[in-house]
Amino acid sequence: MVLCSFSSVFLIYITLFVSSCFAADPFVSYEFEVSYITASPLGVPQQVIAVNGKFPGPTINVTTNNNVAVNVRNKLDENLLISWSGIQQRRSSWQDGVLGTNCPIPPKWNWTYQFQVKDQIGSFFYFPSLNFQRASGGYGGFIINNRDIIPIPFATPDGDVVIFIGDWYTRNHTALRKVLDAGKDLGMPDGVLINGKGPFRYNDTLVPDGIDYETIEVHPGKTYRIRVHNVGVSTSLNFRIQNHNLLLAETEGSYTVQQNYTSLDIHVGQSYSFLVTMDQNASTDYYIVASPRFVNESLWKRVTGVGILHYTNSKGKAKGPLPDPPNDEFDKTFSMNQARSIRWNVSASGARPNPQGSFRYGSINVTEIYVLKNKPPVMINGKRRTTLSGISFVNPSTPIRLADWFKVKGAYKLDFPTRPLTGSSRMETSVINGTFRGFMEIILQNNDTKMQSYHMNGYAFFVVGMDYGEWTENSRGTYNKWDGIARSTTQVYPGAWTAILISLDNVGVWNIRTENLDSWYLGQETYIRVVNPEPTNKTELPLPDNALYCGALSKLQKPEDISSANSINGSRTALFLTLLMIICAVIPIFR
C-alpha cells in the first residue's frame, strides 16, 4: 500500500513539474527543520527557534518564476506555520502560511509548501506566523533574483549581504504570550539584535562584556547590495552605517528612485535594499547601528543594536561614539518626509520587460473604499484586545478559504464595515468582501500613540499618501498618483493616516494586519476575500493534495505516523526533487 501511494504521488509530482520544465520555469527545493536551540544573543541563555539549527535561518535564493518547494518539519512542541512576507502566492493562498488560509502543522509532523514566485523580484523574508513565535526567531531571508533577460537598474553589485534587525526580549515567546494574555504590556525590550547577535561593546557601561556581535567583512572599493529586514516585535529602528551612504535601490519587490540616505527608519516587517560602496580609508572598523525610534531615547539607550563593518585592510577596531541618529525629537515631520521621498522607479523593469510605471495606478477608478482605524487596546468581554475599526479578529477554527471550498457554514462573517464602528468594540471573525478585479482604496488611520506598520499578504499595494491628523475626503488632493512606491508593508505614524491602493487581481483570502506582534496577537487584523465568481484554474489553483484539515473538517485529516513520517517523507521529498531536477535538465536535450 505504501509503495502504491508513493508511486501515485510521485507520478503526480512528475506530471506537475515536467509541465513546469516545458514552461521553462525551474524549481528549487529546500528542507527546513524548525526546532528549539539554546542561545545567548544578549548574554543570557534562552530558548530560540532555529531553522536547520541556525538562527537566523538559511536564506532562500531563487529567480523570478521559479517553482519553490519547502518541506517543513515541525520539531517544536506546538503548532507551526511558516509565512512568506511579501511573496504574493499568485493564485495560491493555500500556501500563505497564516491561520485564515492554512491549518497548522502539528508537532512532529512535516508539510511541504509548493508555490511559484510568479512575476516577482526583490528582498523578502519568511517567519513563523503563529503563537508569537517570531519573537523567538525562526526567520530567514528570501531573495528573488531577476531573470537574465531582464536588466537591473544598477551595476551588478560585488556582493550580497542580508541583515536582520529587530528588538529582542530575553524571555521567549511563550513567556511573552503569558504577559499579553494577563492583560499587560510587554514593556521595553532587552536589546536589539543584528543577525541574531547582540551589540558590539561600544560602551562599557551600556553593553556587558562577552556578548557575540555581528561582523560583516568587505573589500575596499567594492559595492555591496545590503538587504535589511526589521523582523522585530514592535520597535521601529533607524539603520545606519558609520561614514557610509546608503543608496536606496529596492524595497519589497519594487525598484526605487535611487537616493542616498545617511540613515533610514525601518519599521517592523519592512525590507530595503541599499547599494553601499566601501569608499572609506579603513583607518578603523565602522559601526553598523540599529537604534529605536519614536520612544524616549534617553531611557532606551541600552536597546541599541551595534555590529561591525570590517574592511579587509582595516587598521584597527571601531571606537568612539556611535553615529548620531536623526535629530528630530521636536520635528515629527522628518521621518514622514523621509518616507514620502521613497518613490517608485517608473522607468525600470521589474520582473517583466515592461517598465514598472506602465501600470498607471493613478488613472484607475476606485471601486471600494475601507477606512481601517486602530486605537489603544480596549477591554472586550473581560479581555484586553486590540481592534481594527472596532472589531478584534478571532481566528477561525476552520480556515476561511478551506471553509469556502467545502461549503462550511458559519466559519466566518463577510460583514467587515467600510467605516469604523461607532458603538462598542466586539470580537468576531469578520472578513472584508473584496471584488475580483476591483480597485480598493484603504485608509489606515492610527489613533494610537505608538507607531504601527501594516502588511498585506498576496499583494503589493501603492502607498499614495500619508499625513498627520484624521483622513478626510479632501486628503485625496495630496495623493501621489504617479510614482508612489509599490510594497507590502507600510508605516502609519501615531495620530496619522496612510492611504494605499490595491488592484484586486489575485484570487484568494489574504491577511491584512499590523506587523507589531503584540497588537497582531491581540486581534488587530482581518482578511480580504477575493473570489472569482467563475471558478477556473487560471485564476486560482485547486486545493493542494497535501492540504491539512482542522476545525469542522478535522475528520478529513489522515493521521501521520509521527515515528517515521518525518524521515520517510523528508527522504521522499528529496528523492522527488532530485529526480525532477534530472528530468528538467534532460528534457531540453530532446526538444
Side-chain angles (χ1 to χ4, degrees):
M1 268 314 270
V2 173
L3 288 175
C4 288
S5 173
F6 179 84
S7 301
S8 301
V9 174
F10 181 71
L11 287 172
I12 292 170
Y13 271 78
I14 289 289
T15 304
L16 288 172
F17 281 100
V18 165
S19 64
S20 296
C21 297
F22 278 115
D25 294 331
F27 65 89
V28 183
S29 65
Y30 288 86
E31 289 279 338
F32 278 8
E33 182 176 283
V34 183
S35 65
Y36 295 121
I37 62 171
T38 299
S40 306
L42 293 176
V44 179
Q46 65 181 115
Q47 186 188 72
V48 168
I49 297 175
V51 181
N52 297 346
K54 297 179 180 179
F55 167 63
T59 296
I60 292 176
N61 199 321
V62 299
T63 299
T64 300
N65 294 343
N66 279 179
N67 296 287
V68 182
V70 185
N71 185 51
V72 176
R73 304 181 190 184
N74 181 8
K75 292 293 187 73
L76 305 182
D77 57 359
E78 58 186 8
N79 288 340
L80 172 71
L81 280 174
I82 299 293
S83 194
W84 320 91
S85 184
I87 306 301
Q88 293 176 11
Q89 304 292 356
R90 306 293 299 181
R91 301 190 300 148
S92 188
S93 62
W94 309 112
Q95 309 293 329
D96 207 26
V98 286
L99 280 177
T101 52
N102 293 105
C103 293
I105 307 168
K108 300 184 181 179
W109 284 46
N110 77 307
W111 196 73
T112 302
Y113 292 86
Q114 299 172 62
F115 52 89
Q116 186 180 29
V117 288
K118 183 68 173 172
D119 293 335
Q120 284 193 265
I121 55 92
S123 309
F124 310 97
F125 63 93
Y126 61 84
F127 68 98
S129 66
L130 303 186
N131 299 321
F132 218 73
Q133 289 163 355
R134 193 173 84 199
S136 287
Y139 49 76
F142 199 126
I143 295 171
I144 308 179
N145 303 290
N146 284 65
R147 293 175 290 164
D148 290 338
I149 62 171
I150 309 294
I152 58 176
F154 44 81
T156 302
D158 298 298
D160 205 300
V161 178
V162 178
I163 295 179
F164 297 101
I165 59 177
D167 56 357
W168 187 259
Y169 293 84
T170 54
R171 294 164 288 172
N172 73 356
H173 66 284
T174 56
L176 295 174
R177 278 203 317 253
K178 290 177 181 176
V179 173
L180 293 174
D181 291 341
K184 300 175 183 176
D185 279 323
L186 295 179
M188 186 169 62
D190 297 299
V192 169
L193 304 190
I194 296 180
N195 283 349
K197 298 177 181 179
F200 172 80
R201 200 177 191 198
Y202 70 96
N203 181 303
D204 291 351
T205 303
L206 295 173
V207 183
D209 193 16
I211 290 179
D212 189 22
Y213 56 87
E214 177 72 346
T215 299
I216 294 173
E217 184 173 277
V218 294
H219 294 271
K222 302 293 186 181
T223 296
Y224 293 80
R225 182 172 182 171
I226 298 182
R227 306 172 192 259
V228 187
H229 311 273
N230 186 336
V231 291
V233 174
S234 64
T235 305
S236 298
L237 298 171
N238 181 264
F239 180 80
R240 55 200 185 273
I241 300 177
Q242 185 180 27
N243 291 4
H244 289 74
N245 282 323
L246 307 173
L247 181 62
L248 181 63
E250 176 260 334
T251 178
E252 296 162 21
S254 288
Y255 290 122
T256 66
V257 173
Q258 292 177 25
Q259 300 179 83
N260 272 312
Y261 297 88
T262 54
S263 70
L264 189 70
D265 290 340
I266 303 180
H267 307 277
V268 179
Q270 290 188 329
S271 301
Y272 288 97
S273 275
F274 304 104
L275 300 175
V276 182
T277 300
M278 304 305 154
D279 55 5
Q280 297 301 298
N281 61 16
S283 57
T284 65
D285 292 339
Y286 299 94
Y287 294 125
I288 301 169
V289 183
S291 61
R293 294 282 275 148
F294 314 107
V295 295
N296 185 326
E297 293 181 12
S298 61
L299 291 176
W300 283 57
K301 273 190 176 179
R302 66 174 176 81
V303 187
T304 299
V306 184
I308 293 297
L309 185 75
H310 171 74
Y311 281 56
T312 53
N313 64 339
S314 174
K315 301 177 182 65
K317 291 187 175 183
K319 56 186 177 182
L322 300 180
D324 290 331
N327 182 21
D328 65 341
E329 184 179 354
F330 302 105
D331 178 13
K332 67 180 185 179
T333 61
F334 173 84
S335 181
M336 184 179 284
N337 285 336
Q338 186 187 62
R340 289 170 175 152
S341 73
I342 299 169
R343 294 177 294 125
W344 211 24
N345 185 338
V346 296
S347 62
S349 297
R352 293 182 172 185
N354 50 304
Q356 292 181 143
S358 59
F359 184 81
R360 300 183 183 278
Y361 69 87
S363 60
I364 302 174
N365 290 328
V366 169
T367 59
E368 43 213 313
I369 304 166
Y370 281 82
V371 177
L372 305 184
K373 181 184 289 188
N374 69 269
K375 57 186 180 181
V378 296
M379 298 300 292
I380 307 176
N381 301 333
K383 294 182 178 180
R384 186 172 181 265
R385 300 285 296 183
T386 53
T387 57
L388 263 186
S389 294
I391 294 177
S392 186
F393 191 81
V394 178
N395 278 304
S397 58
T398 308
I400 297 161
R401 198 70 193 104
L402 207 58
D404 283 346
W405 192 266
F406 288 95
K407 296 180 171 56
V408 176
K409 294 183 179 180
Y412 64 93
K413 294 180 180 179
L414 209 57
D415 63 351
F416 197 92
T418 58
R419 294 290 191 275
L421 298 177
T422 55
S424 300
S425 299
R426 58 179 188 253
M427 293 173 61
E428 284 189 348
T429 309
S430 181
V431 174
I432 293 173
N433 188 15
T435 303
F436 178 51
R437 292 186 177 142
F439 199 62
M440 183 178 286
E441 177 184 11
I442 295 180
I443 295 90
L444 302 163
Q445 179 76 50
N446 179 6
N447 283 16
D448 198 351
T449 56
K450 298 192 310 181
M451 174 70 74
Q452 300 282 335
S453 51
Y454 280 91
H455 177 88
M456 184 169 176
N457 289 13
Y459 291 93
F461 48 69
F462 296 95
V463 183
V464 294
M466 58 179 69
D467 206 348
Y468 285 98
E470 289 278 333
W471 179 89
T472 69
E473 303 281 340
N474 292 332
S475 302
R476 292 195 180 100
T478 67
Y479 283 8
N480 177 350
K481 294 188 175 182
W482 170 242
D483 61 358
I485 192 67
R487 63 185 312 167
S488 58
T489 307
T490 187
Q491 67 270 50
V492 190
Y493 290 85
W497 57 267
T498 296
I500 61 176
L501 299 175
I502 313 166
S503 178
L504 298 179
D505 60 353
N506 192 14
V507 170
V509 174
W510 305 107
N511 190 216
I512 182 167
R513 62 177 182 268
T514 178
E515 276 289 315
N516 304 48
L517 292 188
D518 48 354
S519 297
W520 182 14
Y521 179 77
L522 293 174
Q524 196 172 311
E525 64 173 322
T526 186
Y527 286 78
I528 300 179
R529 179 179 176 270
V530 182
V531 176
N532 185 348
E534 300 175 4
T536 167
N537 286 358
K538 291 182 179 179
T539 58
E540 184 180 33
L541 296 174
L543 179 74
D545 292 336
N546 67 339
L548 295 171
Y549 298 97
C550 54
L553 301 172
S554 296
K555 291 181 180 178
L556 297 178
Q557 182 60 52
K558 296 177 181 178
E560 177 162 308
D561 181 358
I562 61 175
S563 63
S564 60
N566 286 339
S567 58
I568 293 173
N569 288 338
S571 60
R572 286 177 181 174
T573 302
L575 176 60
F576 288 158
L577 296 169
T578 301
L579 290 173
L580 291 169
M581 278 196 233
I582 294 170
I583 291 167
C584 281
V586 170
I587 280 175
I589 299 173
F590 297 100
R591 289 187 184 174

